[in-house]
Amino acid sequence: QVQLVESGGGLVQAGGSLRLSCAASGRTFSANTMGWFRQAPGKEREFVARISWIGDHTYYADSVKGRFTISRDNAKRTVYLQMNSLKPDDTAVYYCAAGTGWPPIIDYWGQGTQVTVSS
């Protein structure tokens, strides 16, 4: 079992930045592919970014490529999402996820953190 707790969400103006964190506890964290997803009101949950278990591979949705950066620190059991040049369309609840494989089959989800970008 892996427990995931997100933090770092909030309200920011368009063009601003936020850094989300996802702290993992439970069984081995470093073996998991980690990812971020988001869900805006009235929309389906969508993929944002993912990172391999040793951090040597990353993959991004086209909508965030060049603006968002995913990283991980296995010693701290934490994965990060640095979000720059935020747009109102980035407003959503952001979820951390852990899985296996590439692309991963998601086994665990966090509870989500709200990101709101004002225009």
Side-chain angles (χ1 to χ4, degrees):
Q1 195 77 353
V2 174
Q3 293 78 43
L4 305 172
V5 179
E6 302 96 333
S7 61
L11 174 64
V12 63
Q13 289 188 331
S17 298
L18 280 175
R19 187 196 198 200
L20 304 183
S21 298
C22 173
S25 61
R27 71 172 186 88
T28 304
F29 165 77
S30 60
N32 290 116
T33 298
M34 300 298 296
W36 289 95
F37 291 75
R38 67 186 182 186
Q39 188 167 18
K43 296 186 177 181
E44 294 186 354
R45 189 172 298 190
E46 64 175 5
F47 165 77
V48 174
R50 65 174 180 255
I51 187 166
S52 61
W53 69 279
I54 59 172
D56 57 340
H57 294 293
T58 58
Y59 185 76
Y60 298 91
D62 287 344
S63 58
V64 306
K65 201 173 295 183
R67 300 187 298 122
F68 290 12
T69 302
I70 188 171
S71 61
R72 67 189 295 165
D73 185 335
N74 287 345
K76 295 182 178 180
R77 303 172 66 85
T78 301
V79 62
Y80 305 96
L81 186 68
Q82 178 66 44
M83 306 186 294
N84 298 329
S85 303
L86 283 161
K87 306 175 182 179
D89 284 349
D90 296 317
T91 295
V93 177
Y94 283 71
Y95 296 91
C96 178
T100 51
W102 187 270
I105 297 173
I106 300 300
D107 299 308
Y108 305 101
W109 293 94
Q111 84 289 348
T113 186
Q114 177 70 47
V115 171
T116 303
V117 184
S118 63
S119 57

